[in-house]
Amino acid sequence: MKNWDVETVRKDFPVLHREVNGKPLVYLDNAASSQVPQMVIDRGSKYLAEEHSNVHRGVHYLSQHATNAYEAAREKVKRFINAREAAECIFVRGCTEGVNLVASSYGRRFINEGDEILVSQMEHHSNIVPWQVIAEERGARVRMIPINTRGEIIIEEYEAMLNERTRIVAVSHVSNSLGTVNPVKEMTATAHKFGVPVLVDAAQSVPHFPVDVQELDADFFVFSGHKMFAPTGSGVAYGKREWLDKMPPYQTGGGMIRTVSFEKTTYAPIPEKFEAGTPAIANAIGLGAAIDYINGLDFNAAAEYEHSLLEYATERLADIPEVTIIGTALEKASVLSFTIEGIHPHDIGTILDQQGIAIRAGHHCAQPVMNFFDVPATARASFAFYNTREEVDKLADAIQKVIEVFA
């Protein structure tokens, strides 16, 4: 494994040095939201303190300065995901808004009565419900791509579901509830044989390993900033120009128009067409700073270290007889979901919190996954490159204490 100096990296994140309930914080809730490094905090503060103004169409110094910073962040996103052009990168509030944008705009233009939308069984609700809404509006139907007991998409069944009625496929790059890494490049290539575009929910992949939208050949690729060390309220909906140019606006108002009259309105080109109103300027600049932070690391080494941490945590929890790991795919990233026989995940999370350990307990906005595994909820530990083996040991020891309390 490549050398990874986790203690030096941890110094970049102020919150990791605080105590919770009198214990050093062990933050293992990164799949819900990662922590923010000091340089990202400082960049946001600098903008608000010294540079704040509305972007675009302003001739004064601050407006031009803010516009340059905002558009520079878009250029950073383009390079980070290897988009063909910055205009294909639409700023949104997060992955949820990104999926809603595509479902609504693509759906109104391309989905009609009798058409089919393929959505995997392991999706977050934000990549299920928007498709259900547009399907109901357009007279289409959503079809579920099934998973197996390891939490992997059954590729043979997916391939058999594609047909002349399929209009789009929606699939997560990495499952937020199981940690499964899906073969999205291969799934996309298969869909393209039918002329079907693919939306990839990349909320759980972008923070954990390098991505390349051109290599994946993704038609749409959406992710959130707050899971990749950036402020909340930041995110990106990438789309190939060939689709975005044909899609109607998602929202309307200032900034997204070319001309307005009471007879007819014409729209601005992308990306402005999809960014109505004053954008979340500070958050977008913060996202750009988070990308700068990641680019300053050896991201491949970070990914390798994080994967070794997940393997170690899996081994530690697998050694506890009362623990059942939910999601045992051959390819996984970041997420370790589990149950303890006879103990509700909320009780697990509460007792762990008393030990200063932050995990997530619940259905993780993935109720179809919980139904498939016949559990009401799971406890979920999720890792970032600033977590340590010592923190994994604390997690395992605390789980033993949970079992003793309920014995």
Side-chain angles (χ1 to χ4, degrees):
M1 187 176 73
K2 296 176 182 176
N3 185 46
W4 180 253
D5 188 351
V6 66
E7 292 304 327
T8 297
V9 170
R10 287 175 64 83
K11 292 175 184 175
D12 296 335
F13 293 83
V15 75
L16 298 182
H17 307 290
R18 66 162 296 172
E19 291 189 346
V20 171
N21 294 323
K23 304 287 177 63
L25 171 64
V26 175
Y27 187 79
L28 301 176
D29 194 23
N30 295 284
S33 211
S34 60
Q35 294 300 337
V36 182
Q38 187 65 52
M39 70 170 280
V40 174
I41 297 169
D42 290 345
R43 183 64 189 93
S45 297
K46 178 179 172 63
Y47 166 77
L48 291 170
E50 302 176 14
E51 305 167 340
H52 177 60
S53 178
N54 214 324
V55 294
H56 304 139
R57 300 173 304 285
V59 297
H60 63 81
Y61 174 84
L62 282 181
S63 178
Q64 292 190 25
H65 196 78
T67 298
N68 290 341
Y70 180 74
E71 293 301 334
R74 195 190 311 275
E75 185 65 32
K76 291 172 187 177
V77 169
K78 174 226 167 191
R79 292 196 298 269
F80 186 65
I81 64 173
N82 193 32
R84 290 171 186 80
E85 52 181 311
E88 295 178 316
C89 303
I90 313 298
F91 281 128
V92 290
R93 288 178 300 148
C95 200
T96 296
E97 186 176 40
V99 177
N100 274 273
L101 183 158
V102 176
S104 175
S105 184
Y106 176 89
R108 283 182 287 134
R109 176 67 177 82
F110 293 105
I111 295 175
N112 296 296
E113 188 171 355
D115 288 343
E116 295 179 352
I117 302 162
L118 305 189
V119 179
S120 97
Q121 190 172 8
M122 71 175 72
E123 295 310 301
H124 189 283
H125 295 163
S126 64
N127 203 22
I128 299 174
V129 180
W131 300 111
Q132 292 175 326
V133 169
I134 197 67
E136 185 174 355
E137 289 179 5
R138 306 296 294 176
R141 72 171 179 140
V142 174
R143 297 183 66 195
M144 183 191 76
I145 307 167
I147 61 175
N148 62 27
T149 54
R150 293 188 301 274
E152 300 164 327
I153 287 175
I154 304 173
I155 294 299
E156 298 79 13
E157 296 211 26
Y158 160 69
E159 292 175 345
M161 293 170 72
L162 288 159
N163 60 56
E164 70 280 356
R165 295 184 300 278
T166 311
R167 289 295 168 265
I168 193 165
V169 174
V171 63
S172 54
H173 202 172
V174 175
S175 164
N176 76 299
S177 59
L178 302 170
T180 306
V181 180
N182 286 317
V184 293
K185 180 179 179 180
E186 293 77 8
M187 292 179 71
T188 299
T190 304
H192 285 173
K193 292 177 183 177
F194 290 83
V196 174
V198 176
L199 176 138
V200 177
D201 171 353
Q204 301 292 342
S205 61
V206 168
H208 300 294
F209 51 79
V211 298
D212 184 330
V213 295
Q214 292 192 64
E215 182 190 2
L216 296 174
D217 203 19
D219 300 276
F220 303 101
F221 190 86
V222 296
F223 58 95
S224 299
H226 72 95
K227 298 184 196 299
M228 54 174 291
F229 323 109
T232 54
S234 63
V236 173
Y238 159 85
K240 289 180 179 177
R241 176 180 280 278
E242 65 195 74
W243 292 113
L244 294 178
D245 281 344
K246 297 172 185 173
M247 288 160 49
Y250 172 54
Q251 296 177 321
T252 56
M256 52 71 62
I257 58 89
R258 177 174 281 149
T259 63
V260 175
S261 72
F262 280 97
E263 290 71 39
K264 181 176 177 60
T265 292
T266 60
Y267 306 128
I270 62 170
E272 288 84 0
K273 181 171 74 170
F274 293 104
E275 294 183 8
T278 297
I281 306 164
N283 298 344
I285 292 171
L287 175 59
I291 290 171
D292 288 340
Y293 178 77
I294 293 171
N295 287 340
L297 305 170
D298 183 340
F299 201 27
N300 285 303
E304 197 174 325
Y305 168 80
E306 196 182 286
H307 188 68
S308 73
L309 203 62
L310 176 63
E311 288 183 330
Y312 178 62
T314 302
E315 291 170 6
R316 286 299 316 265
L317 267 60
D319 283 341
I320 304 173
E322 296 85 351
V323 169
T324 299
I325 293 173
I326 306 295
T328 54
L330 294 177
E331 294 290 331
K332 286 188 64 176
S334 174
V335 169
L336 184 57
S337 289
F338 62 95
T339 58
I340 301 176
E341 186 177 354
I343 306 175
H344 196 281
H346 288 159
D347 293 325
I348 300 171
T350 300
I351 295 174
L352 262 56
D353 181 58
Q354 294 167 2
Q355 302 298 314
I357 300 171
I359 66 164
R360 184 77 32 171
H363 56 63
H364 315 297
C365 297
Q367 289 183 359
V369 171
M370 301 300 124
N371 293 337
F372 176 79
F373 285 100
D374 196 25
V375 294
T378 68
R380 183 187 71 187
S382 51
F383 305 96
F385 51 59
Y386 45 60
N387 291 123
T388 67
R389 289 170 73 94
E390 291 75 20
E391 290 180 321
V392 171
D393 291 335
K394 288 181 179 180
L395 171 66
D397 293 344
I399 289 171
Q400 292 282 15
K401 290 180 183 176
V402 171
I403 294 167
E404 291 168 12
V405 166
F406 281 86

